[in-house]
Amino acid sequence: MRPDRKRVVSLVPSLTEAVAVSAPGLLVGVTDWCTHPAPELAGVARIGGTKNPDVRAIAELRPDLVIANEEENRAPDLARLRAAGVEVLVTEVRGLPQALRELDRVLVGALGLARPGWLADAESAWARVEPDAEWRAFVPIWRRPWMVLGRDTFAGDLLARLGVRNVYAGHAERYPKVAVAELAAAGCDLVVLPDEPYRFTAEDGPEAFPGLPAALVSGRHLTWYGPSLAQAPAVLSRALREAG
């Protein structure tokens, strides 16, 4: 590890897990949404949410680096951190190859760590993926209003590699709002319902699409880019098989 990278604040749950697993003790501040791995995060300062971090509290932690993401964190908050003299590294993740590169950039390039074994395991796991089947599907991420995965998303890329053909992948928006009646009439084989950011469950979600098989999937394995990527192909494939 580089000597000037001893205190890190993470504003992204995925990156929090990646750093905590790879270099326990490096993190001095994380968001309220950073939940994994729980033992390593015990006692680490909580500095607010991903969209409303406490900039003053972060600055008072005297971090050598804040790691963020262009989608999960707001540009004005990051600008305020920089104005306070804090160095900020902003990642961009729109697909699996980019996620792997950005993890390497953060862990090896910025923090000077040895490349973690779990990152190689994740690359290997996804390189071996062979879809069990193909499904036309839509992927809600919120309700009230209903929102789905559209174009150019990390989660959409993972699902495509597993055989899911997202009918909204060509939409002009990345997370379009779509009326439930339109979704139900989309002629799909499957609805994929993750448990985050909205917590879809067997009792909350499938009932909106009667007669359509629903795959209830782990949001962490679908949307997080970190150590969970190594298990994600098996976890997600199992959920898709069981539903379809």
Side-chain angles (χ1 to χ4, degrees):
M1 181 175 61
R2 293 179 181 178
D4 60 338
R5 298 297 191 219
K6 294 180 180 179
R7 298 175 63 82
V8 176
V9 170
S10 172
L11 303 182
V12 185
S14 298
L15 297 177
T16 294
E17 183 178 22
V19 175
V21 169
S22 305
L26 198 61
L27 291 164
V28 296
V30 298
T31 76
D32 298 337
W33 300 106
C34 296
T35 57
H36 296 276
E40 284 80 355
L41 297 180
V44 176
R46 297 288 172 166
I47 46 74
T50 56
K51 305 297 185 186
N52 58 344
D54 187 333
V55 172
R56 181 175 179 178
I58 294 171
E60 289 177 350
L61 289 171
R62 297 178 291 104
D64 298 303
L65 183 69
V66 171
I67 49 179
N69 176 264
E70 52 87 29
E71 179 176 67
E72 295 197 48
N73 308 120
R74 302 186 316 138
D77 294 324
L78 304 182
R80 289 174 60 203
L81 284 167
R82 291 189 176 102
V86 177
E87 183 176 349
V88 181
L89 184 157
V90 182
T91 60
E92 179 182 295
V93 175
R94 303 292 178 89
L96 178 64
Q98 190 176 29
L100 296 171
R101 290 195 301 271
E102 290 285 50
L103 287 164
D104 197 280
R105 181 166 76 101
V106 170
L107 299 172
V108 180
L111 300 181
L113 303 175
R115 198 167 195 267
W118 62 259
L119 190 50
D121 292 342
E123 288 177 324
S124 178
W126 282 99
R128 297 193 302 269
V129 164
E130 294 184 6
D132 297 313
E134 286 199 0
W135 303 271
R136 279 175 50 84
F138 56 91
V139 189
I141 57 167
W142 204 258
R143 69 182 300 177
R144 305 182 191 94
W146 286 92
M147 298 175 67
V148 300
L149 292 183
R151 64 170 180 83
D152 194 25
T153 68
F154 172 72
D157 184 36
L158 295 194
L159 288 172
R161 294 168 187 273
L162 297 171
V164 175
R165 301 294 170 250
N166 176 11
V167 297
Y168 291 97
H171 197 281
E173 299 177 26
R174 298 184 67 218
Y175 303 104
K177 297 177 183 177
V178 184
V180 67
E182 179 182 329
L183 294 174
C188 289
D189 309 309
L190 189 70
V191 53
V192 179
L193 297 170
D195 61 12
E196 62 176 86
Y198 185 92
R199 188 172 180 78
F200 288 106
T201 67
E203 292 74 37
D204 185 356
E207 81 290 343
F209 312 103
L212 186 63
L216 295 166
V217 304
S218 163
R220 176 166 163 261
H221 289 92
L222 179 62
T223 64
W224 288 37
Y225 38 92
S228 60
L229 275 174
Q231 294 79 43
V235 171
L236 297 174
S237 292
R238 182 167 58 250
L240 293 170
R241 286 197 306 271
E242 291 174 353

